[in-house]
Amino acid sequence: MVGAVVSTVLSVVGLVSPPVVAASDNAVELLHVSYDPTRELFQEVNAAFIPDWQQDHPRDQVTIRQSHAGSGQQARAVIDGLQADVVSLALAYDIDAIASHGSVAKDWKERLPYRASPFQHDSALSSAHRPTGVGRFRC
């Protein structure tokens, strides 16, 4: 799974804004903006991304900063000027909101593999261990 996520993150770099590169020392600093529950996931993904970047850019010293908050809050921050290089949010609606303000291409879903969703989350309730007093659940 991390491989699919890394390949998608590789595709996303520069989606919001070009990475900050200091010409004198080849320092590259990226800001990855994502929503709270993905903090640990993207620590691993970002760590896997750095050596991949450095294969193509061996003189670069890459640093990835992370920003985490609610998905809508992060979208609002980017719309209001937070200089994100990568945006990984919970809802396509939030990225559409950013796109409507011009920071992301409106066709962002078509430009990336898996329609820019490298994974999904499904939830299920077990009826075998239903807490007392909880009735039927209907979708």
Side-chain angles (χ1 to χ4, degrees):
M1 175 162 129
V2 170
V5 174
V6 169
S7 66
T8 299
V9 170
L10 290 173
S11 300
V12 175
V13 168
L15 182 64
V16 178
S17 64
V20 175
V21 180
S24 61
D25 60 358
N26 291 323
V28 176
E29 185 176 284
L30 303 172
L31 175 59
H32 186 173
V33 173
S34 65
Y35 59 110
D36 273 331
T38 61
R39 182 183 316 264
E40 289 79 16
L41 167 68
F42 284 120
Q43 284 174 340
E44 291 181 33
V45 169
N46 292 339
F49 171 79
I50 291 172
D52 196 78
W53 173 285
Q54 289 175 323
Q55 280 185 344
D56 294 333
H57 309 89
R59 298 178 60 193
D60 289 351
Q61 297 301 313
V62 180
T63 302
I64 301 177
R65 294 182 303 118
Q66 293 182 234
S67 172
H68 299 276
S71 188
Q73 182 180 354
Q74 292 289 64
R76 179 82 263 163
V78 173
I79 290 167
D80 289 344
L82 180 63
Q83 296 296 306
D85 298 295
V86 179
V87 173
S88 305
L89 300 178
L91 303 171
Y93 172 83
D94 291 329
I95 298 175
D96 287 339
I98 295 169
S100 73
H101 285 82
S103 296
V104 172
K106 290 188 189 295
D107 67 343
W108 64 272
K109 288 181 209 163
E110 287 73 35
R111 294 175 56 202
L112 301 171
Y114 308 104
R115 291 186 50 79
S117 295
F119 57 89
Q120 69 182 37
H121 177 81
D122 295 318
S123 298
L125 297 175
S126 169
S127 61
H129 302 289
R130 187 178 358 202
T132 305
V134 175
R136 298 191 118 200
F137 180 83
R138 293 184 193 222
C139 294

